[in-house]
Amino acid sequence: SRSVRRSGEELPVTSVEFDLLSALLREAGHVVKKEDLSENVLERRLSPYDRSLDMHISNLRKKLGPRSDGSERIKTVRSVGYIYTVQ
């Protein structure tokens, strides 16, 4: 099923957020380029002024919350993309 759980609790996520999280988790510990996320998840080329990807990531971060040590699960790699951090 397309569900996300944190500490056993199901989190309500949109289909785009689920697909973004899935793409990031497949490459956990590695940077995923914004261009790749845009093309593979949003199914369109990344435009210089399009902030929708950033907004989806921001919403996903809020829903996932920080790790137990307070660190972010999804980090921005400036001018490149995002990385789902591994502990």
Side-chain angles (χ1 to χ4, degrees):
S1 76
R2 294 174 59 90
S3 64
V4 176
R5 293 186 175 278
R6 183 192 66 217
S7 301
E9 181 181 330
E10 188 166 339
L11 302 176
V13 296
T14 66
S15 60
V16 171
E17 291 167 350
F18 181 90
D19 291 343
L20 280 172
L21 181 59
S22 179
L24 290 170
L25 286 173
R26 278 194 301 273
E27 299 294 327
H30 301 280
V31 177
V32 181
K33 294 179 182 179
K34 290 177 78 167
E35 292 85 2
D36 293 340
L37 289 171
S38 184
E39 289 178 14
N40 296 328
V41 175
L42 302 179
E43 298 179 345
R44 64 178 183 250
R45 293 188 62 184
L46 185 65
S47 155
Y49 301 105
D50 185 359
R51 302 283 298 160
S52 62
L53 182 63
D54 300 321
M55 292 307 302
H56 288 297
I57 292 287
S58 175
N59 292 336
L60 191 54
R61 282 179 174 144
K62 289 175 190 171
K63 291 176 181 182
L64 292 173
R67 294 189 183 279
S68 58
D69 65 0
S71 65
E72 288 290 331
R73 296 172 192 272
I74 301 172
K75 291 189 178 181
T76 301
V77 179
R78 190 178 172 121
S79 300
V80 179
Y82 299 98
I83 183 171
Y84 192 94
T85 60
V86 291
Q87 287 183 320

